[in-house]
Amino acid sequence: MLVIGRNDKGVVTGLPNAKKLLEDLPNKIRDVLGIMAEVNLREEDGKDYLEIRVEPYPSPISYKGEYHYRSGSTKQELKGTALEHFLLKKRGRHWDDAPEPSFTARSCSAAAIRLFKQRAAESGRMDRAVLRDRREVLLGNLELTEKHGLKRAACLLFSDRPERYVSGAWIKIGFFVTDDDLRYQDEVHGNLFEQVEKTLELLHTKYLKAYISYQGLQRRETFLFPDAALREALLNAVVHKD
């Protein structure tokens, strides 16, 4: 609610042209912002003032093509990435749900499609008939298709070089002795399915320590973290783009 005709102490100072504003403001707000506002004429101590009430809108509201955001006591204009995230959030969408027009079904890696089909069939969560589906059908069933192309998530999942579409779309592993002492590191590229599998393999073969024990003549390695917990932590990092 916005009140016109009170000072900063809340005392009514009055509006000499309140009745004219009562007619002009609703039209002005509608024309400039595209929303309907409730403008009410109030009176106190014989002085007129106005109350402007606006209900929260589910969609973003622009002022002359600009979007603004209240941060504390200041008003900030939303630009660039912040504006994109704001618009997507208001529409109930996420960053990876946005369309990527330059990425099509033909752009998908045959190896990535084949790997997904194999893993999906092995998991038992999808019928083995998925192995015979065309890639267009598969992408549609996964809800990765858009009217203007595929979604960004499809680029990450089914492109052998997702960084062509999304900068930084690979996994980086580093071995730190202290917070600022990096001894060695690796980068894992490829589609996300391959990235996760290669990263798990690298962690076990190069980065993680294991206790060595023997059962008879057979050597056994016991890692500090259970495989399921390590895989869950890695998948969470990938899903949250961390």
Side-chain angles (χ1 to χ4, degrees):
M1 181 177 69
L2 177 66
V3 178
I4 305 176
R6 285 185 186 272
N7 62 21
D8 291 342
K9 296 180 180 179
V11 178
V12 174
T13 56
L15 285 173
N17 57 344
K19 289 186 172 59
K20 185 176 187 306
L21 288 174
L22 188 64
E23 297 178 3
D24 294 346
L25 281 177
N27 295 330
K28 189 77 170 179
I29 294 171
R30 181 200 61 207
D31 295 342
V32 175
L33 299 174
I35 62 175
M36 301 304 294
E38 180 184 340
V39 182
N40 299 312
L41 178 62
R42 303 290 188 223
E43 183 181 339
E44 186 175 313
D45 297 331
K47 298 176 181 177
D48 293 333
Y49 68 98
L50 295 178
E51 284 182 356
I52 304 174
R53 292 179 177 271
V54 182
E55 294 297 322
Y57 272 71
S59 57
I61 307 301
S62 70
Y63 171 70
K64 296 182 178 179
E66 299 174 351
Y67 293 86
H68 300 268
Y69 184 79
R70 171 68 62 176
S71 178
S73 61
T74 64
K75 181 177 69 66
Q76 305 288 337
E77 182 184 351
L78 284 168
K79 295 181 178 180
T81 304
L83 175 59
E84 182 182 10
H85 288 174
F86 173 75
L87 295 174
L88 288 171
K89 184 178 179 182
K90 279 290 188 179
R91 292 170 185 149
R93 304 186 68 173
H94 299 281
W95 168 87
D96 42 11
D97 191 41
E100 180 56 60
S102 61
F103 190 76
T104 65
R106 285 191 171 190
S107 308
C108 292
S109 161
I113 294 284
R114 186 165 54 251
L115 178 62
F116 172 78
K117 288 182 175 181
Q118 291 172 352
R119 295 291 184 267
E122 291 167 1
S123 71
R125 296 173 62 185
M126 297 182 73
D127 194 280
R128 296 194 70 86
V130 73
L131 296 170
R132 298 189 296 272
D133 284 344
R134 293 182 298 109
R135 61 178 59 185
E136 291 82 4
V137 174
L138 176 67
L139 294 167
N141 290 339
L142 292 173
E143 298 184 4
L144 294 175
T145 57
E146 274 278 346
K147 182 172 63 174
H148 302 292
L150 298 180
K151 298 179 181 179
R152 283 180 181 153
C155 304
L156 299 173
L157 293 169
F158 295 112
S159 172
D160 284 336
R161 290 183 59 201
E163 57 265 36
R164 289 176 57 193
Y165 306 94
V166 182
S167 60
W170 62 81
I171 294 175
K172 186 178 283 188
I173 316 171
F175 186 88
F176 289 82
V177 178
T178 63
D179 286 347
D180 56 358
D181 185 5
L182 175 64
R183 292 296 173 88
Y184 50 88
Q185 65 178 358
D186 288 281
E187 288 183 0
V188 184
H189 296 263
N191 63 71
L192 280 192
F193 304 115
E194 288 181 336
Q195 286 188 36
V196 170
E197 293 192 355
K198 289 178 181 177
T199 299
L200 283 172
E201 182 182 351
L202 263 176
L203 289 174
H204 280 116
T205 57
K206 184 175 179 179
Y207 285 85
L208 296 181
K209 296 178 180 179
Y211 292 113
I212 305 299
S213 61
Y214 290 88
Q215 187 173 7
L217 294 176
Q218 185 178 1
R219 167 176 160 154
R220 303 184 64 182
E221 295 183 349
T222 304
F223 287 95
L224 299 175
F225 309 103
D227 286 348
L230 184 65
R231 185 178 186 85
E232 183 71 12
L234 176 59
L235 287 173
N236 280 338
V238 171
V239 167
H240 294 293
K241 298 173 275 294
D242 185 355

Short mmCIF file of all heavy atoms in Angstrom, two decimals, residues 32-33 57 59-72 74-80 82-84 86-87 90:
data_model
loop_
_atom_site.label_atom_id
_atom_site.label_comp_id
_atom_site.label_asym_id
_atom_site.label_seq_id
_atom_site.Cartn_x
_atom_site.Cartn_y
_atom_site.Cartn_z
N VAL A 32 1.24 2.49 -17.76
CA VAL A 32 2.70 2.42 -17.62
C VAL A 32 3.15 1.04 -17.14
O VAL A 32 4.17 0.51 -17.59
CB VAL A 32 3.21 3.51 -16.65
CG1 VAL A 32 4.71 3.36 -16.41
CG2 VAL A 32 2.91 4.89 -17.22
N LEU A 33 2.39 0.43 -16.22
CA LEU A 33 2.81 -0.83 -15.61
C LEU A 33 2.01 -2.04 -16.10
O LEU A 33 2.43 -3.18 -15.93
CB LEU A 33 2.68 -0.76 -14.08
CG LEU A 33 3.53 0.31 -13.39
CD1 LEU A 33 3.20 0.36 -11.90
CD2 LEU A 33 5.02 0.03 -13.59
N TYR A 57 1.50 -9.68 -7.76
CA TYR A 57 1.27 -10.29 -9.06
C TYR A 57 2.18 -11.50 -9.23
O TYR A 57 3.35 -11.47 -8.84
CB TYR A 57 1.53 -9.28 -10.18
CG TYR A 57 0.32 -8.46 -10.54
CD1 TYR A 57 -0.17 -7.50 -9.68
CD2 TYR A 57 -0.36 -8.66 -11.74
CE1 TYR A 57 -1.29 -6.74 -9.98
CE2 TYR A 57 -1.48 -7.91 -12.06
CZ TYR A 57 -1.94 -6.97 -11.19
OH TYR A 57 -3.06 -6.22 -11.49
N SER A 59 3.35 -12.65 -12.01
CA SER A 59 4.30 -12.42 -13.11
C SER A 59 5.08 -11.13 -12.85
O SER A 59 4.60 -10.23 -12.16
CB SER A 59 3.55 -12.32 -14.44
OG SER A 59 2.58 -11.29 -14.37
N PRO A 60 6.30 -11.02 -13.40
CA PRO A 60 7.10 -9.81 -13.21
C PRO A 60 6.43 -8.59 -13.84
O PRO A 60 5.78 -8.70 -14.87
CB PRO A 60 8.42 -10.13 -13.92
CG PRO A 60 8.43 -11.61 -14.07
CD PRO A 60 7.02 -12.03 -14.18
N ILE A 61 6.59 -7.43 -13.22
CA ILE A 61 6.02 -6.18 -13.72
C ILE A 61 7.17 -5.27 -14.15
O ILE A 61 8.09 -5.03 -13.38
CB ILE A 61 5.19 -5.48 -12.63
CG1 ILE A 61 4.14 -6.42 -12.05
CG2 ILE A 61 4.54 -4.22 -13.20
CD1 ILE A 61 3.16 -6.97 -13.06
N SER A 62 7.10 -4.78 -15.38
CA SER A 62 8.16 -3.90 -15.87
C SER A 62 7.68 -2.46 -15.86
O SER A 62 6.50 -2.18 -16.06
CB SER A 62 8.59 -4.31 -17.28
OG SER A 62 7.57 -4.00 -18.21
N TYR A 63 8.62 -1.56 -15.64
CA TYR A 63 8.35 -0.13 -15.72
C TYR A 63 9.13 0.41 -16.91
O TYR A 63 10.36 0.51 -16.87
CB TYR A 63 8.78 0.57 -14.44
CG TYR A 63 8.73 2.08 -14.52
CD1 TYR A 63 7.50 2.75 -14.59
CD2 TYR A 63 9.89 2.85 -14.55
CE1 TYR A 63 7.44 4.13 -14.68
CE2 TYR A 63 9.85 4.22 -14.64
CZ TYR A 63 8.62 4.86 -14.71
OH TYR A 63 8.55 6.23 -14.82
N LYS A 64 8.39 0.68 -18.00
CA LYS A 64 9.00 1.17 -19.25
C LYS A 64 10.11 0.22 -19.72
O LYS A 64 11.18 0.65 -20.12
CB LYS A 64 9.53 2.59 -19.07
CG LYS A 64 8.43 3.61 -18.77
CD LYS A 64 8.98 5.01 -18.65
CE LYS A 64 7.86 6.02 -18.41
NZ LYS A 64 8.37 7.40 -18.27
N GLY A 65 9.84 -1.08 -19.63
CA GLY A 65 10.79 -2.07 -20.09
C GLY A 65 11.89 -2.43 -19.11
O GLY A 65 12.74 -3.26 -19.40
N GLU A 66 11.88 -1.81 -17.92
CA GLU A 66 12.89 -2.10 -16.90
C GLU A 66 12.25 -2.82 -15.72
O GLU A 66 11.08 -2.59 -15.41
CB GLU A 66 13.56 -0.81 -16.41
CG GLU A 66 14.27 -0.04 -17.50
CD GLU A 66 14.80 1.30 -17.01
OE1 GLU A 66 14.45 1.69 -15.86
OE2 GLU A 66 15.54 1.96 -17.75
N TYR A 67 13.04 -3.68 -15.08
CA TYR A 67 12.56 -4.41 -13.90
C TYR A 67 13.35 -3.95 -12.69
O TYR A 67 14.59 -3.89 -12.73
CB TYR A 67 12.71 -5.92 -14.10
CG TYR A 67 11.81 -6.48 -15.17
CD1 TYR A 67 12.21 -6.47 -16.51
CD2 TYR A 67 10.55 -6.99 -14.87
CE1 TYR A 67 11.38 -6.97 -17.50
CE2 TYR A 67 9.72 -7.49 -15.85
CZ TYR A 67 10.14 -7.48 -17.17
OH TYR A 67 9.33 -7.98 -18.14
N HIS A 68 12.64 -3.65 -11.62
CA HIS A 68 13.28 -3.11 -10.42
C HIS A 68 13.00 -4.01 -9.23
O HIS A 68 11.99 -4.72 -9.18
CB HIS A 68 12.80 -1.68 -10.14
CG HIS A 68 13.09 -0.73 -11.24
ND1 HIS A 68 14.24 0.03 -11.30
CD2 HIS A 68 12.39 -0.44 -12.38
CE1 HIS A 68 14.22 0.76 -12.40
NE2 HIS A 68 13.11 0.50 -13.07
N TYR A 69 13.92 -3.97 -8.25
CA TYR A 69 13.83 -4.84 -7.10
C TYR A 69 14.18 -4.05 -5.84
O TYR A 69 15.14 -3.28 -5.83
CB TYR A 69 14.83 -6.01 -7.27
CG TYR A 69 14.77 -7.04 -6.18
CD1 TYR A 69 13.77 -8.00 -6.18
CD2 TYR A 69 15.72 -7.06 -5.16
CE1 TYR A 69 13.72 -8.96 -5.18
CE2 TYR A 69 15.66 -8.01 -4.15
CZ TYR A 69 14.67 -8.96 -4.17
OH TYR A 69 14.60 -9.90 -3.18
N ARG A 70 13.36 -4.24 -4.81
CA ARG A 70 13.61 -3.54 -3.56
C ARG A 70 14.60 -4.33 -2.72
O ARG A 70 14.39 -5.49 -2.40
CB ARG A 70 12.29 -3.36 -2.81
CG ARG A 70 12.42 -2.82 -1.39
CD ARG A 70 12.90 -1.39 -1.34
NE ARG A 70 11.99 -0.47 -1.98
CZ ARG A 70 12.17 0.85 -2.00
NH1 ARG A 70 13.23 1.37 -1.42
NH2 ARG A 70 11.32 1.64 -2.61
N SER A 71 15.73 -3.72 -2.36
CA SER A 71 16.74 -4.35 -1.51
C SER A 71 17.00 -3.43 -0.33
O SER A 71 17.65 -2.39 -0.46
CB SER A 71 18.03 -4.59 -2.30
OG SER A 71 19.02 -5.15 -1.47
N GLY A 72 16.46 -3.81 0.85
CA GLY A 72 16.58 -2.93 2.02
C GLY A 72 15.83 -1.64 1.79
O GLY A 72 14.64 -1.64 1.46
N THR A 74 16.81 0.55 -0.56
CA THR A 74 17.17 1.04 -1.89
C THR A 74 16.42 0.27 -2.97
O THR A 74 15.96 -0.85 -2.76
CB THR A 74 18.68 0.90 -2.15
OG1 THR A 74 19.03 -0.49 -2.15
CG2 THR A 74 19.48 1.62 -1.08
N LYS A 75 16.31 0.89 -4.13
CA LYS A 75 15.67 0.27 -5.29
C LYS A 75 16.75 -0.04 -6.32
O LYS A 75 17.48 0.85 -6.73
CB LYS A 75 14.61 1.20 -5.88
CG LYS A 75 13.89 0.61 -7.09
CD LYS A 75 12.80 1.55 -7.57
CE LYS A 75 13.38 2.81 -8.19
NZ LYS A 75 14.12 2.52 -9.45
N GLN A 76 16.86 -1.32 -6.71
CA GLN A 76 17.87 -1.73 -7.66
C GLN A 76 17.21 -2.15 -8.97
O GLN A 76 16.15 -2.78 -8.96
CB GLN A 76 18.67 -2.93 -7.11
CG GLN A 76 19.30 -2.69 -5.75
CD GLN A 76 20.48 -1.74 -5.82
OE1 GLN A 76 21.09 -1.60 -6.86
NE2 GLN A 76 20.78 -1.10 -4.70
N GLU A 77 17.85 -1.82 -10.09
CA GLU A 77 17.37 -2.30 -11.38
C GLU A 77 17.97 -3.67 -11.65
O GLU A 77 19.19 -3.86 -11.51
CB GLU A 77 17.75 -1.35 -12.51
CG GLU A 77 17.21 -1.81 -13.86
CD GLU A 77 17.64 -0.93 -15.02
OE1 GLU A 77 18.23 0.14 -14.76
OE2 GLU A 77 17.41 -1.32 -16.18
N LEU A 78 17.13 -4.63 -12.00
CA LEU A 78 17.61 -5.97 -12.31
C LEU A 78 18.15 -6.02 -13.73
O LEU A 78 17.49 -5.59 -14.67
CB LEU A 78 16.46 -6.98 -12.16
CG LEU A 78 16.09 -7.35 -10.73
CD1 LEU A 78 14.78 -8.13 -10.72
CD2 LEU A 78 17.17 -8.18 -10.08
N LYS A 79 19.37 -6.57 -13.88
CA LYS A 79 19.99 -6.67 -15.19
C LYS A 79 20.69 -8.01 -15.31
O LYS A 79 20.98 -8.68 -14.33
CB LYS A 79 21.01 -5.55 -15.40
CG LYS A 79 20.43 -4.14 -15.43
CD LYS A 79 21.52 -3.11 -15.67
CE LYS A 79 20.95 -1.70 -15.75
NZ LYS A 79 22.01 -0.69 -15.98
N GLY A 80 20.97 -8.39 -16.55
CA GLY A 80 21.80 -9.56 -16.83
C GLY A 80 21.29 -10.84 -16.21
O GLY A 80 20.10 -11.16 -16.27
N ALA A 82 20.94 -11.74 -13.08
CA ALA A 82 19.98 -11.56 -11.99
C ALA A 82 18.56 -11.40 -12.54
O ALA A 82 17.61 -11.95 -11.99
CB ALA A 82 20.36 -10.36 -11.14
N LEU A 83 18.42 -10.66 -13.64
CA LEU A 83 17.11 -10.48 -14.26
C LEU A 83 16.59 -11.79 -14.82
O LEU A 83 15.42 -12.14 -14.65
CB LEU A 83 17.20 -9.43 -15.36
CG LEU A 83 15.94 -9.21 -16.20
CD1 LEU A 83 14.77 -8.79 -15.32
CD2 LEU A 83 16.18 -8.18 -17.29
N GLU A 84 17.47 -12.56 -15.47
CA GLU A 84 17.06 -13.84 -16.04
C GLU A 84 16.56 -14.79 -14.95
O GLU A 84 15.51 -15.41 -15.08
CB GLU A 84 18.23 -14.48 -16.79
CG GLU A 84 17.87 -15.80 -17.46
CD GLU A 84 19.05 -16.44 -18.15
OE1 GLU A 84 20.19 -15.97 -17.96
OE2 GLU A 84 18.84 -17.43 -18.86
N PHE A 86 15.41 -13.97 -12.03
CA PHE A 86 14.18 -13.42 -11.46
C PHE A 86 12.97 -13.77 -12.33
O PHE A 86 11.93 -14.21 -11.83
CB PHE A 86 14.32 -11.91 -11.33
CG PHE A 86 13.06 -11.20 -10.91
CD1 PHE A 86 12.61 -11.26 -9.60
CD2 PHE A 86 12.32 -10.48 -11.83
CE1 PHE A 86 11.45 -10.59 -9.22
CE2 PHE A 86 11.16 -9.82 -11.46
CZ PHE A 86 10.73 -9.88 -10.15
N LEU A 87 13.11 -13.58 -13.64
CA LEU A 87 12.00 -13.86 -14.55
C LEU A 87 11.64 -15.35 -14.54
O LEU A 87 10.47 -15.71 -14.52
CB LEU A 87 12.36 -13.41 -15.97
CG LEU A 87 12.56 -11.91 -16.17
CD1 LEU A 87 13.05 -11.62 -17.58
CD2 LEU A 87 11.27 -11.15 -15.90
N LYS A 90 9.84 -16.26 -11.25
CA LYS A 90 8.46 -15.77 -11.23
C LYS A 90 7.53 -16.63 -12.08
O LYS A 90 6.34 -16.73 -11.82
CB LYS A 90 8.42 -14.32 -11.72
CG LYS A 90 8.79 -13.29 -10.67
CD LYS A 90 7.72 -13.20 -9.60
CE LYS A 90 7.97 -12.06 -8.64
NZ LYS A 90 6.92 -11.96 -7.60
#
